Amino acid sequence: KTEYEFLTGNSVKRFPAMVPYVSYFTHSQYSLVSTLKSQGYTCYAMHPYKGSNWNRPTAYKLLGFDHFYTIDDFDTANATYYHSHISDQTNYEKIIDMVNNKKNKDDPLFLFDITMQNHGGYSADDVDRTITVDGLDDYMQNKDDLAVVERYLSLVNLSDQALEYLIDYFKDYDEPTIICMWGDHYPSMPDDFYRYIAGDSLENLPLEEKQKFYSTPFFIWANYDIPEEQDVVTSTNYLSTMLLEQTGLQMTDYNYYLKNLQKDIPALNHFGYLGTDGQYYTWE
């Protein structure tokens, strides 16, 4: 869903049970891909796992991607694995290799990458637990549940290190480069952990607090000057328009429509929306 919202700008808020790639992809669809291809970009999708999930091969073809790279395109014998998946470090090394081996150095490239390292679940003892949470071991009585939380946080720490490597590489790169990153959802964690971080059970929380469980961090970074902002709250259907604004590339009428809609509804999802007054509302 978040892939679809980002690439097309369309919100799926009215279809909570619908998977867009499976339900709606029977014809070519306008997207960020077509916007960039019309301006000379080569567009690749990449996912270091098997490519068949969620009808991605068909969806990516209909979105206009030039090629979909899967785990079959990785040197798996020499790859680093965490949690039984291709690591983010190996994933980012592949990105760098693809950028450096373009047919023509000055050709613009859009690469849409879906990482795999931290995919759930976390019950298997398959990663060193390097990250702990102060006080959590006293709060969570089930030590297996505690291990689940610590494994996930340790994986996120490894992702942070890989991301630092990626940004450091492109920081002084001689071609203008922009990186946009966000999460599709938080992992499934033990109920005790949710109560620990929220102070109560999910069903007892007000809407603003509940929304935090369906919100993930994002950033837009560039190796050239762009306006700096912090604590921006948005939703995935606006994110590609926000990204395009930082490139100086031509935007479509639909991008401008979304930009105007964002002034009235800054963020939205299945549960409700953020108002211009900073308050959260249900659709009812």
Side-chain angles (χ1 to χ4, degrees):
K1 292 179 184 178
T2 53
E3 283 186 42
Y4 174 83
E5 288 193 329
F6 173 80
L7 290 169
T8 66
N10 301 332
S11 171
V12 298
K13 77 171 186 64
R14 296 185 63 188
F15 306 98
M18 182 267 287
V19 179
Y21 287 177
V22 176
S23 302
Y24 284 143
F25 272 72
T26 59
H27 58 280
S28 297
Q29 298 205 21
Y30 157 82
S31 71
L32 175 63
V33 183
S34 53
T35 300
L36 293 175
K37 287 189 73 171
S38 70
Q39 298 176 69
Y41 274 72
T42 299
C43 297
Y44 296 143
M46 186 161 73
H47 182 43
Y49 196 59
K50 60 184 180 181
S52 57
N53 289 352
W54 304 113
N55 198 36
R56 279 193 179 108
T58 298
Y60 288 162
K61 186 177 295 185
L62 293 171
L63 283 165
F65 282 105
D66 294 297
H67 189 75
F68 176 27
Y69 291 89
T70 70
I71 194 169
D72 296 334
D73 299 289
F74 281 73
D75 180 6
T76 54
N78 295 306
T80 302
Y81 285 79
Y82 291 125
H83 189 49
S84 302
H85 297 303
I86 292 280
S87 70
D88 287 356
Q89 178 71 29
T90 293
N91 191 168
Y92 298 160
E93 289 170 357
K94 178 75 169 177
I95 289 175
I96 290 170
D97 183 64
M98 292 174 68
V99 171
N100 285 328
N101 287 284
K102 295 186 296 183
K103 288 183 179 179
N104 298 303
K105 185 178 183 300
D106 295 330
D107 287 351
L109 172 67
F110 170 52
L111 200 156
F112 183 67
D113 178 64
I114 305 99
T115 62
M116 189 64 192
Q117 174 187 295
N118 299 346
H119 195 286
Y122 310 97
S123 57
D125 190 14
D126 57 4
V127 64
D128 292 338
R129 285 188 274 157
T130 59
I131 301 297
T132 59
V133 181
D134 289 344
L136 187 59
D137 54 345
D138 295 328
Y139 185 88
M140 297 184 68
Q141 301 303 312
N142 187 322
K143 298 310 175 186
D144 288 337
D145 286 349
L146 176 63
V148 164
V149 174
E150 291 179 346
R151 284 190 197 102
Y152 171 70
L153 295 177
S154 299
L155 284 164
V156 171
N157 184 46
L158 290 167
S159 291
D160 286 346
Q161 295 172 32
L163 180 60
E164 182 179 26
Y165 161 81
L166 182 69
I167 288 178
D168 278 348
Y169 184 87
F170 284 111
K171 185 168 57 178
D172 299 315
Y173 200 69
D174 60 0
E175 185 177 3
T177 305
I178 191 164
I179 298 173
C180 176
M181 190 174 191
W182 74 99
D184 59 346
H185 63 81
Y186 279 125
S188 177
M189 290 281 108
D191 290 342
D192 280 349
F193 180 65
Y194 289 144
R195 282 189 286 269
Y196 177 80
I197 62 175
D200 204 342
S201 298
L202 180 62
E203 59 269 17
N204 296 330
L205 297 175
L207 180 61
E208 181 175 359
E209 293 298 310
K210 287 181 179 178
Q211 286 283 25
K212 292 179 181 179
F213 284 85
Y214 300 94
S215 305
T216 64
F218 81 96
F219 69 81
I220 298 173
W221 172 91
N223 64 358
Y224 53 90
D225 285 337
I226 59 174
E228 294 186 9
E229 294 185 76
Q230 293 185 351
D231 302 320
V232 175
V233 179
T234 188
S235 46
T236 330
N237 58 301
Y238 298 128
L239 191 54
S240 57
T241 295
M242 295 171 64
L243 174 66
L244 270 175
E245 281 190 285
Q246 308 309 320
T247 64
L249 295 169
Q250 185 175 354
M251 299 203 302
T252 67
D253 290 346
Y254 191 49
N255 290 127
Y256 286 108
Y257 162 77
L258 289 170
K259 188 176 176 181
N260 286 327
L261 179 63
Q262 192 175 17
K263 295 175 184 176
D264 296 323
I265 306 177
L268 64 151
N269 62 11
H270 298 318
F271 301 98
Y273 64 95
L274 176 66
T276 54
D277 56 2
Q279 300 298 308
Y280 287 83
Y281 298 91
T282 65
W283 292 110
E284 289 71 32

